[in-house]
Amino acid sequence: MPRPIHLNLFIHGRGHHEAGWRHPGATRKALTDITYFADLAKRAEAGRFDSIFFADALELGDGARYVASGALEPITALAALARETTRIGLIATASTTYTEPFNLARQFASLDHISGGRIGWNIVTSWVAGAGPNFGYERAPEHAERYARADEYVGVVKALWDSWADDAIIDDPQTGRFLERERVRRIDWKGSFYRVAGPLNLPRPPQGRPVLVQAGSSATGKAFAARHAEAVFTAHLSKASAADFYAELKQGAIAAGRRADDIVILPGLSAAIGSTDAQAHTLLEELNALTDIQVGLSRLSNRFGGYDFSALPLDQPLSRDDFPDPSTVQAAQSRAAVITDLVARERPTLRGLLRQLAGARGHFTVAGSPERIAEVIEDWIESRAADGFNLMPPVLPAQLDIFVDHVVPILQKRGLFRREYEADTLRGHYGLGRPANPYFQN
Amino acid sequence: MPRPIHLNLFIHGRGHHEAGWRHPGATRKALTDITYFADLAKRAEAGRFDSIFFADALELGDGARYVASGALEPITALAALARETTRIGLIATASTTYTEPFNLARQFASLDHISGGRIGWNIVTSWVAGAGPNFGYERAPEHAERYARADEYVGVVKALWDSWADDAIIDDPQTGRFLERERVRRIDWKGSFYRVAGPLNLPRPPQGRPVLVQAGSSATGKAFAARHAEAVFTAHLSKASAADFYAELKQGAIAAGRRADDIVILPGLSAAIGSTDAQAHTLLEELNALTDIQVGLSRLSNRFGGYDFSALPLDQPLSRDDFPDPSTVQAAQSRAAVITDLVARERPTLRGLLRQLAGARGHFTVAGSPERIAEVIEDWIESRAADGFNLMPPVLPAQLDIFVDHVVPILQKRGLFRREYEADTLRGHYGLGRPANPYFQN
């Protein structure tokens, strides 16, 4: 029997292609209109996706001038979508660098209650340079410090979620006893970065803990994922690179005392789908023709912590020497490394590189018919390059619709993807167990 | 023509009476069940209330053992309720002491977009002693410092909401221009407590700014309200005290360069309603009989920053000397003052005082028939003791239902309360204007 595939819809603006919002297949609704996101969530649920996901950045960013930007905040959006859907998992990004752990633990616990156990937290340390100054910092804390904090932060948040026994509430109007106070404990966390007394002020979430999701792929990021992550979003430009990552991370989880199945690995997949391969390629060419060199340069600069590429010639082959050493980049180191490796390997022109990144910012892109997309998915799964995919439609909602209507049925016919939901929680969809509470015996 | 009345439903546990949750008229749903709150919001909307409101405390508290506790977090709850209702205003409490201003400004802006302009922010500085240690403090910051921070904090949040011109988004797929970047500005706030660069990362809220609500009634709290608040919740045990507060606050607003109508004053009203006055008194007696001395003592102690009253005799008249000076209390000073004034005036026994406070924690309580409740409401409005009320039903949902079904129609018949909504936003319901954006001319 083939391994089941997991599918997450990554919701981003009006599509993941940088120029997707300019395409006729993109919505014309505002990114502050909850009905747009509710509609996407319902379409994904109709397609039996495991989950939907919102990324996040704690600054507006320079690209906003030319890219659909300024969307709803993910936690509030997710709470609203919890009332618009009944089965699909809901994942929001939130930052360990710029949020009080008590507030974050509480809001995600509340979301998990509101949704009946369908919530995941995408743990980020916030690499964008502009976030720090929105939170009282001269500049963002450095990569290593952000991860050191994040490691402790996740410990605090887990301890808060676990500060109530699952059976702490008695709720007996006859005797007047509501809570068994001995089944709720202070956490009295006193670490290097955080001091949090606890307990949390609401009961343990239905899933025990919301699913912990993570997307850092630097050496530090991978070590973090091996310890904590239950689902991982990751960016690869080739199946070989994804397979290496997959093997390394599963091994890392085992080394950290966990099982390989305790981490679901979901590489990004931006599929431009047409009735035929030729039509799909035409779509991608149309989108690329709508891109803007300045937008691409600004995004590339962002990825390298503000490095200025604007003096480079547009139409001559690049070399690795044109780029700073990724390990010195105080942003998303792994994504910088993906890009410099690509440059060293393929020697693209700057214009060509920007177009390649315009599709999905360094994630795998493929153009083809529904059959072709289904083949890629099956191939990556069989090659143990993925447990499923973080689907990044280049244009929303049009390209999601095509995927749901034409790719999902192929996967279902081959027995690779569920026809109906078999679980009610995100943990259930991902095949993850409910974490025991280490502080209370039942 | 009589002045219109404003009504806010204060949602608290299974009712405001300390023992309300033990009464047969209380829901049996969990306080983590969003359908319970959705049902209340819909009932209040059917009754044409201006708004609903969630209070908040950033600690579990000792009372939880004997009182229904551990409810959903207000911001996430409000986002969900925005999708369950269409007209009623939605007010959440959030703390200026324990939340990053960028995160708070952003979540409230997002809520205002999700709800189509129906959001209010109840600004609190978090008086409960246990909150500080959940956020890295040895103890909560003192009253004066909390308010000094809050004053600056509100300035930061307003500046973030105003960092986008209302017309900043161009959204032209033809030219590829999405945002007029010159119509979005950094705020570069550098104050005594906060440094925030901005701009916010989503567009200005539909209401310009969510409605600013406030409930502090100390001297500092009143000065704060006169400067910032657009709606005020306040606790009074008599109409005379409410009328004094009303006159003082309206005068304070005028002294601060605002109009008297720029602040809507809503005293708390806990109405125990029965078919007859006698039945209503029986209900209140039933509820009082279900209270617990230990719960009352613990709550009273909380109100006085942890002061221990347990050595006082239960059945002898109290005097002011039995209480600490309210101005030294590092919690909610105004509520402490309300209680000591009552003691000096009425010389209740400790048992009697605890029962009196059990009804609504120092807010005005009245028991009577629907006609009697409507008379009280009309009398307070005519006496300029209130612009409306913060309704605190002792038992939820039963006592809300009776109010909606039997008191509201009396008020409507007398032309005092709307029969249909006349506005789509919370500002509209409260008769408040949309704030101009000081940074951008239209």
Side-chain angles (χ1 to χ4, degrees), chain A residues 23-229:
Chain A
H23 195 270
T27 185
R28 291 296 302 145
K29 285 191 178 177
L31 297 185
T32 46
D33 183 344
I34 189 68
T35 68
Y36 165 55
F37 300 106
D39 186 49
L40 291 176
K42 287 173 185 170
R43 288 169 200 242
E45 192 170 60
R48 305 293 182 258
F49 277 49
D50 296 66
S51 46
I52 63 162
F53 155 61
F54 290 102
D56 196 36
L58 291 168
E59 64 156 354
L60 179 59
D62 291 332
R65 193 186 291 269
Y66 300 110
V67 177
S69 317
L72 295 172
E73 183 276 336
I75 289 172
T76 45
L78 232 55
L81 297 186
R83 303 300 299 155
E84 300 276 352
T85 56
T86 58
R87 303 295 289 272
I88 197 167
L90 306 164
I91 302 172
T93 297
S95 171
T96 53
T97 305
Y98 303 115
T99 321
E100 286 284 350
F102 191 90
N103 290 337
L104 185 143
R106 186 181 180 212
Q107 290 198 322
F108 275 85
S110 187
L111 285 176
D112 207 48
H113 284 290
I114 290 171
S115 66
R118 295 187 284 132
I119 297 298
W121 167 32
N122 179 37
I123 307 165
V124 301
T125 68
S126 300
W127 60 267
V128 291
N134 286 331
F135 294 87
Y137 293 89
E138 287 285 328
R139 66 180 67 81
E142 298 208 341
H143 193 271
E145 192 196 329
R146 294 202 318 270
Y147 268 101
R149 284 196 204 185
D151 210 60
E152 186 181 326
Y153 193 107
V154 170
V156 176
V157 169
K158 285 180 181 174
L160 285 169
W161 286 332
D162 293 343
S163 64
W164 290 53
D166 287 313
D167 60 359
I169 290 182
I170 307 163
D171 193 4
D172 183 356
Q174 293 306 314
T175 61
R177 290 179 67 217
F178 184 79
L179 185 71
E180 189 159 11
R181 203 61 176 75
E182 294 69 28
R183 304 287 286 168
V184 178
R185 67 185 279 280
R186 293 167 62 92
I187 69 167
D188 285 324
W189 188 283
K190 295 189 175 88
S192 307
F193 302 101
Y194 301 102
R195 297 172 79 89
V196 179
L200 200 56
N201 53 355
L202 80 169
R204 196 163 189 249
Q207 294 185 106
R209 303 172 189 157
V211 174
L212 298 182
V213 183
Q214 210 259 350
S217 297
S218 65
T220 320
K222 281 185 282 198
F224 183 92
R227 281 193 303 280
H228 299 295

Side-chain angles (χ1 to χ4, degrees), chain B residues 11 65 77 97 106 111 131 133 145 160 169 221 240 328 364 380 410 421 428:
Chain B
I11 298 177
R65 192 188 292 268
T97 305
R106 187 181 180 212
L111 284 176
E145 191 197 329
L160 285 169
I169 290 183
T328 66
F364 187 72
W380 281 49
I410 298 173
Y421 284 111

Side-chain angles (χ1 to χ4, degrees), chain B residues 109-185:
Chain B
S110 187
L111 284 176
D112 207 46
H113 284 290
I114 290 171
S115 65
R118 295 187 285 131
I119 297 298
W121 168 31
N122 179 37
I123 308 165
V124 300
T125 68
S126 300
W127 60 267
V128 291
N134 287 330
F135 293 87
Y137 294 88
E138 286 285 330
R139 66 179 67 81
E142 298 208 341
H143 192 272
E145 191 197 329
R146 294 203 317 269
Y147 268 101
R149 283 196 205 185
D151 211 61
E152 185 181 327
Y153 193 107
V154 170
V156 176
V157 169
K158 285 181 181 174
L160 285 169
W161 287 332
D162 293 343
S163 65
W164 290 53
D166 287 313
D167 61 359
I169 290 183
I170 306 162
D171 193 4
D172 182 356
Q174 293 305 316
T175 62
R177 290 179 66 217
F178 184 78
L179 185 71
E180 189 159 10
R181 202 62 175 74
E182 294 69 27
R183 304 286 286 167
V184 178
R185 67 184 279 279

Side-chain angles (χ1 to χ4, degrees), chain B residues 350-375:
Chain B
L350 183 57
R351 190 189 304 276
L353 176 69
L354 295 181
R355 288 204 166 179
Q356 196 161 349
L357 297 176
R361 309 180 300 283
H363 288 267
F364 187 72
T365 58
V366 57
S369 66
E371 291 73 20
R372 168 88 188 110
I373 305 301
E375 273 164 28

Side-chain angles (χ1 to χ4, degrees), chain B residues 51-76:
Chain B
S51 46
I52 63 163
F53 156 60
F54 290 102
D56 196 35
L58 292 168
E59 65 156 354
L60 179 59
D62 290 333
R65 192 188 292 268
Y66 300 108
V67 177
S69 316
L72 296 172
E73 183 276 335
I75 290 172
T76 46

